[in-house]
Amino acid sequence: MASRRKARILAFQALFFWEANCVSGEPRVPVEELLAFAWLEEEKLNKLDENTSAFSRALIAGAVENITDIDTQIQNHLDNWDIVRLNRVDLAVLRISAYTLMYQKEIPASIVIDEAIGICREFGTDDSYKFVNGVLDSIKKTILENHIKKEA
């Protein structure tokens, strides 16, 4: 498995863990624990190479730091649905992917969306990948439209 793919899965797992440990919307797990992969089994932690862990940490830190903007962007692209009703797998994948679309513009949107679909197929429900694909595609189009407006 490519290190970027592995890093995205780690970041997804970290945000899933973070969200699962929220009480009344407030996280109980410090970001430092997420970045240290404290939730990961020691055997897996010891196998992590530096590139994988660095990219994963960047995704985790960026998503947590910008969580309000990311969640607003996600909510704006949910048709007749509220973000608090999303299952945790879909939410974690959407947060990592929306962060990348919004802030890591050097990564092609098609790669971001393909990776999100792959993670959903592996960890989500049978329909997760379709739902996540639709939301991310809508976010991508909005970002592109806003970029075009800024240039005009």
Side-chain angles (χ1 to χ4, degrees), residues 14 27 43 60 69 99 134 138-140 152:
E43 180 183 323
I60 296 164
D69 291 341
Y99 165 73
S138 182
I139 290 172
K140 175 189 81 172

Side-chain angles (χ1 to χ4, degrees), residues 121-134:
R121 284 183 189 262
E122 187 173 344
F123 296 97
T125 65
D126 289 344
D127 291 330
S128 285
Y129 76 95
K130 295 174 193 170
F131 172 75
V132 167
N133 180 45

Side-chain angles (χ1 to χ4, degrees), residues 74-75 77-95 113 116-117 120-121 124-139:
I74 292 169
Q75 181 61 60
H77 292 89
L78 297 176
D79 294 331
N80 302 315
W81 200 258
D82 194 278
I83 196 167
V84 298
R85 293 183 60 208
L86 295 181
N87 76 53
R88 289 184 180 143
V89 169
D90 294 353
L91 181 58
V93 172
L94 283 170
R95 283 174 165 168
I113 294 172
I117 289 169
C120 283
R121 284 183 189 262
T125 65
D126 289 344
D127 291 330
S128 285
Y129 76 95
K130 295 174 193 170
F131 172 75
V132 167
N133 180 45
V135 174
L136 292 176
D137 191 54
S138 182
I139 290 172

Side-chain angles (χ1 to χ4, degrees), residues 1 7 22 28 42 60 85-86 97 102 146 149 151:
M1 181 182 307
C22 282
R28 293 187 304 173
E42 191 172 336
I60 296 164
R85 293 183 60 208
L86 295 181
S97 303
M102 294 166 67
N146 290 340
K149 287 178 187 174
E151 288 185 347

Side-chain angles (χ1 to χ4, degrees), residues 1-129:
M1 181 182 307
S3 72
R4 287 256 168 146
R5 167 88 175 184
K6 196 181 291 184
R8 286 183 179 97
I9 290 172
L10 281 172
F12 147 72
Q13 291 171 332
L15 284 192
F16 179 90
F17 177 77
W18 188 65
E19 179 67 24
N21 285 286
C22 282
V23 175
S24 301
E26 291 298 316
R28 293 187 304 173
V29 177
V31 176
E32 297 76 28
E33 279 188 40
L34 295 178
L35 298 177
F37 305 110
W39 48 272
L40 194 60
E41 296 169 4
E42 191 172 336
E43 180 183 323
K44 290 182 181 180
L45 185 59
N46 292 334
K47 290 181 180 179
L48 274 182
D49 66 84
E50 189 53 41
N51 289 338
T52 302
S53 59
F55 186 62
S56 186
R57 283 186 182 102
L59 291 173
I60 296 164
V64 170
E65 183 178 315
N66 295 287
I67 201 72
T68 303
D69 291 341
I70 291 165
D71 284 357
T72 298
Q73 187 74 264
I74 292 169
Q75 181 61 60
N76 289 343
H77 292 89
L78 297 176
D79 294 331
N80 302 315
W81 200 258
D82 194 278
I83 196 167
V84 298
R85 293 183 60 208
L86 295 181
N87 76 53
R88 289 184 180 143
V89 169
D90 294 353
L91 181 58
V93 172
L94 283 170
R95 283 174 165 168
I96 290 295
S97 303
Y99 165 73
T100 305
L101 290 171
M102 294 166 67
Y103 298 100
Q104 294 182 318
K105 300 193 187 294
E106 70 280 2
I107 300 174
S110 59
I111 290 174
V112 175
I113 294 172
D114 285 348
E115 290 287 340
I117 289 169
I119 293 170
C120 283
R121 284 183 189 262
E122 187 173 344
F123 296 97
T125 65
D126 289 344
D127 291 330
S128 285
Y129 76 95

